[in-house]
Amino acid sequence: MFGLFKKKGEAEQAEPQFIVVNLNARIQPTHRGEIYEEPLDDVLSKSQSGEVSGGGSLLSSVGEVEYCDIEIQVPNSDDAIIKFIKSSLEKIGVPKGSKIIVEATGSEIEFGDLEGLALYLNGTELDDEVYSSSDSNYVYSELERLIDGIGRVYSYWQGPTETALYLYGFSYDEMKSSIAELVDNYPLCQKCRIERIA
């Protein structure tokens, strides 16, 4: 009568379980929420499969995001739930090198098919006139236009000496080729560097 004779395992079944999605994406927390967390939480709650319970980012020594995590609370972490989370995120678009970590078993499932390109604008070594007459917002909007259909700009970062714009799409080479003319000719892109990030 005091709960002493509950069936074995009954209490454990009531405990929520957690799945962590490790995204190989350099995106600010705000953009992580807009792109991944809010849409995922919406589909999880509609299907009564769980909820997004948190998120975080690993930063480099200069404050740049290296990758980020999404924590998901689920009633159980069976194969069906994992497949549902994986397919829901893949519809949004996930960079290569990402993984799903199942806390209950410690298993890791690698996934993701997007490739990543970071364009780093030089913030210290150009003529003052270039900085006063050029606009990083223009570069952002032009990148979006030039890679429309093959990718998109997911986020950006303003560091102590550089401003980074992060592009994710189905082909790093296609994105790089599509933005080449802008990179070669727009004054603010002088001395920039391009890095493959997924």
Side-chain angles (χ1 to χ4, degrees):
M1 62 182 161
F2 297 108
L4 299 175
F5 302 105
K6 282 184 178 177
K7 291 178 184 176
K8 189 176 180 182
E10 193 172 294
E12 288 80 6
Q13 288 175 1
E15 290 293 317
Q17 296 182 5
F18 293 92
I19 292 170
V20 175
V21 179
N22 181 256
L23 293 167
N24 183 31
R26 299 186 187 183
I27 50 177
Q28 293 184 28
T30 302
H31 301 143
R32 184 186 70 230
E34 292 171 358
I35 297 168
Y36 292 108
E37 292 175 353
E38 291 167 18
L40 180 60
D41 191 58
D42 189 44
V43 297
L44 286 170
S45 89
K46 281 180 181 173
S47 63
Q48 298 183 329
S49 303
E51 63 179 359
V52 172
S53 56
S57 303
L58 178 73
L59 305 181
S60 71
S61 58
V62 293
E64 182 180 15
V65 173
E66 294 189 343
Y67 65 82
C68 55
D69 288 335
I70 301 171
E71 185 183 73
I72 305 159
Q73 181 176 310
V74 292
N76 65 77
S77 49
D78 61 19
D79 287 346
I81 292 278
I82 294 164
K83 283 179 183 175
F84 182 70
I85 290 169
K86 183 173 177 283
S87 66
S88 298
L89 287 168
E90 285 173 337
K91 285 175 187 173
I92 297 169
V94 176
K96 291 177 176 178
S98 301
K99 58 188 174 183
I100 295 170
I101 303 163
V102 184
E103 191 179 80
T105 62
S107 62
E108 297 185 359
I109 301 134
E110 293 189 5
F111 76 128
D113 60 4
L114 297 183
E115 298 186 349
L117 181 153
L119 174 65
Y120 290 89
L121 301 175
N122 192 306
T124 59
E125 298 177 341
L126 306 183
D127 293 340
D128 289 342
E129 185 183 338
V130 172
Y131 294 121
S132 61
S133 63
S134 302
D135 185 2
S136 58
N137 290 316
Y138 172 78
V139 177
Y140 186 106
S141 61
E142 276 298 281
L143 291 173
E144 283 269 66
R145 183 182 70 80
L146 292 166
I147 65 169
D148 184 42
I150 58 171
R152 58 177 282 207
V153 181
Y154 271 52
S155 193
Y156 59 86
W157 169 72
Q158 192 158 9
T161 61
E162 296 177 301
T163 296
L165 298 160
Y166 305 118
L167 289 59
Y168 292 95
F170 294 109
S171 169
Y172 167 86
D173 291 331
E174 280 188 50
M175 290 190 292
K176 187 176 180 182
S177 176
S178 297
I179 68 172
E181 188 174 346
L182 174 71
V183 170
D184 289 343
N185 294 297
Y186 191 65
L188 195 60
C189 294
Q190 295 173 64
K191 299 185 179 180
C192 72
R193 64 187 179 91
I194 291 175
E195 182 183 333
R196 186 172 192 147
I197 54 173

